[in-house]
Amino acid sequence: MSDVEVRFTANYMEDAPDSINAVRQALRLPVPFLPPCSELVVSPGVLFPDPVSAPLDVTFADSDGVKWIRTKGALERRGTPEGHGTAAQLQAKYGGSTLLDVLDAKPAVKKLEPYTA
């Protein structure tokens, strides 16, 4: 897969000069390429101390260049009416989110056994 972008929210506690603040932050993590038979391991604990993260949303292009959107409830092809609706929902949810540099976030790519059915 190429042009992978992982989107999620992280809730965490942040020290302030006179108190502790609860923070909820929407984040986007770009990954240029994910090799075949591998998985991307995103550990919010690497990014923030003791975070609670929400389900992930992922956009990507497959090996044929077809663009997809994967949410908790569906896998939609971009360019279809359903894909446009999902893309609009993600834009509303994450439009102003913080873009994390993949080198700063250090997600792990884990090699998997090839799937044969």
Side-chain angles (χ1 to χ4, degrees):
M1 294 188 306
S2 61
D3 299 325
V4 178
E5 188 170 84
V6 180
R7 298 174 175 137
F8 60 100
T9 57
N11 301 325
Y12 59 96
M13 303 305 283
E14 181 177 71
D15 289 330
D18 55 353
S19 65
I20 296 177
N21 296 327
V23 177
R24 179 178 178 153
Q25 189 168 10
L27 302 162
R28 295 181 295 141
L29 178 65
V31 179
F33 176 74
L34 190 60
C37 300
S38 62
E39 70 179 351
L40 181 67
V41 180
V42 178
S43 300
V46 171
L47 305 172
F48 305 103
D50 302 319
V52 176
S53 61
L56 303 176
D57 299 310
V58 179
T59 58
F60 63 92
D62 66 18
S63 60
D64 293 325
V66 177
K67 296 187 179 201
W68 298 89
I69 302 171
R70 177 71 173 135
T71 63
K72 182 179 177 182
L75 175 64
E76 305 288 351
R77 184 176 176 164
R78 293 191 69 155
T80 64
E82 297 83 7
H84 285 302
T86 302
Q89 290 171 356
L90 292 178
Q91 177 61 32
K93 184 175 179 181
Y94 296 104
S97 62
T98 301
L99 183 63
L100 295 173
D101 185 334
V102 71
L103 298 176
D104 290 342
K106 294 182 178 56
V109 176
K110 181 178 162 185
K111 187 76 172 160
L112 300 175
E113 291 298 318
Y115 176 77
T116 55

